[in-house]
Each structure stands twice: as C-alpha cells, then as structure tokens.
Amino acid sequence: MKYGSVEYQYALPIARGLVENAAFRCWVLSKSRFAKVSDADLLHKEMRSHRRNPTAEWWRFYFTEGCRCLGCSGKETDIFAVFEDATGFRFAMHFELKQPKDKFKADGVQARGYPLRAKCWTGKPPPKVLPHQDASTGIFFSETRRTEYAQHLDHFETKVTFEDIEREFPLVAAWR
Ligand SMILES: [Zn+2]
C-alpha cells in the first residue's frame, strides 16, 4: 500500500475510526468471531511501542520475509490490529482492504494467505508484531464487487463494505 494511494484514502479513515470511534470498533468486531468481546480495547499504542518504528503508522506495513510459509512469503496485511479484552486475552485482526477499483488476482493466492498468516503469527509472531493468543481475518470492500470477489471472500471471516460504513458511520467514511 503506497502512501497517497486510493487504498490509503480508504484505509486511513478506517484505522482512525478503530482508534477514535468506540461504536465503530465494536460494530466491526461484532461481525467477527470475537463478537462476545467486541468491547475489547485496541492496543494501537502497545503495537507502536513494540514495533519501535516511530515513523510507521501503527496499523500498516505488516509483513515478514523471515517466514517462508504460504501465508507470509511475499504477502502483507493491509490493516493489522491487536485487541485486548477485560481478562487480558489478546487477539489480532488481519484486514485486507480492496478499494472499489481494485481486484484480486485470479490465482487466489492473496486471499488464501490471510488465514494462513493469521494462524502463523498467532503461534510465532514476527519480532515487530505484538504477541497475541488468537487471530482472525477480515476484509473491507465495495458492495459493487461482491459477486466478482465471491471466490475470495470466504477466506475473510469478517466482511465489511464501504457502503455499510457510509450508511452506519458517515463520520468514519472520510473517503467520500
Ligand atoms: Zn508464516
């Protein structure tokens, strides 16, 4: 994801919304298998200090070439977030973000990598990734692409459309 790209114009407001808007954060998590702890705290500050890279935004540039598994090799999580519930249980969400004009390659490798990477990092997180005990996957995409993306969407447990965000959280949807 390049700075200033169309993808970034969608990703930044979503990342900000996760930090600043508790209702939005809860709404997103309620669509995941962590719905029971959808009021969990986002550990963006801990992620940032663990990573020790003051210039990188807390949520992006998450990849590793230190692991050669199919989930990690040559792949990146667009928006990565670690949460903690009231008992101290930490879980991560790996989100893919497909801006409305983007598409998946037909080989399916990118989408398939997400659950593999989520599992890989749960057991042995790369050095710059805050350790966590469980993880899942999600995707932010445009409703207009649902049919086209159909074969890829199953790899993402949590599915959120930009249109839903625009409708439910217009203040978060700063890309409009
Ligand atoms: Zn791996």
Side-chain angles (χ1 to χ4, degrees):
M1 199 189 293
K2 294 190 207 77
Y3 182 81
S5 68
V6 176
E7 201 164 297
Y8 186 78
Q9 289 170 30
Y10 283 83
L12 179 62
I14 288 171
R16 266 198 196 135
L18 289 173
V19 172
E20 296 171 3
N21 191 321
F24 174 66
R25 186 167 63 240
C26 190
W27 178 77
V28 171
L29 287 180
S30 74
K31 299 171 183 295
S32 77
R33 69 188 158 92
F34 304 112
K36 278 188 187 157
V37 289
S38 62
D39 61 345
D41 290 328
L42 173 60
L43 299 181
H44 59 289
K45 288 179 188 151
E46 290 83 351
M47 289 172 68
R48 190 195 300 275
S49 62
H50 184 85
R51 181 148 78 162
R52 292 190 191 154
N53 180 348
T55 61
E57 285 151 299
W58 64 268
W59 50 274
R60 65 181 190 142
F61 302 133
Y62 281 95
F63 56 89
T64 180
E65 296 300 335
C67 175
R68 304 312 298 169
C69 85
L70 287 173
C72 295
S73 190
K75 300 188 185 66
E76 179 174 16
T77 293
D78 288 337
I79 300 176
F80 179 69
V82 180
F83 300 86
E84 184 178 71
D85 78 3
T87 70
F89 168 72
R90 290 185 173 188
F91 60 94
M93 290 295 299
H94 288 252
F95 291 109
E96 164 65 11
L97 188 141
K98 280 284 181 214
Q99 53 96 350
K101 293 199 163 56
D102 203 356
K103 54 188 171 191
F104 283 99
K105 282 185 192 158
D107 61 16
V109 167
Q110 187 192 26
R112 247 193 338 264
Y114 265 82
L116 296 174
R117 188 160 62 260
K119 196 171 178 195
C120 179
W121 291 13
T122 300
K124 47 172 179 63
K128 294 183 178 176
V129 169
L130 192 67
H132 48 277
Q133 294 145 267
D134 201 354
S136 186
T137 58
I139 181 170
F140 296 102
F141 69 108
S142 171
E143 186 62 47
T144 62
R145 299 282 178 168
R146 189 180 288 273
T147 307
E148 182 190 326
Y149 291 173
Q151 60 154 324
H152 306 281
L153 290 178
D154 282 350
H155 296 291
F156 303 97
E157 195 173 68
T158 301
K159 301 169 188 66
V160 183
T161 66
F162 301 127
E163 290 83 353
D164 278 345
I165 298 173
E166 290 165 11
R167 199 162 38 239
E168 304 284 334
F169 296 93
L171 292 177
V172 171
W175 52 80
R176 288 187 299 178

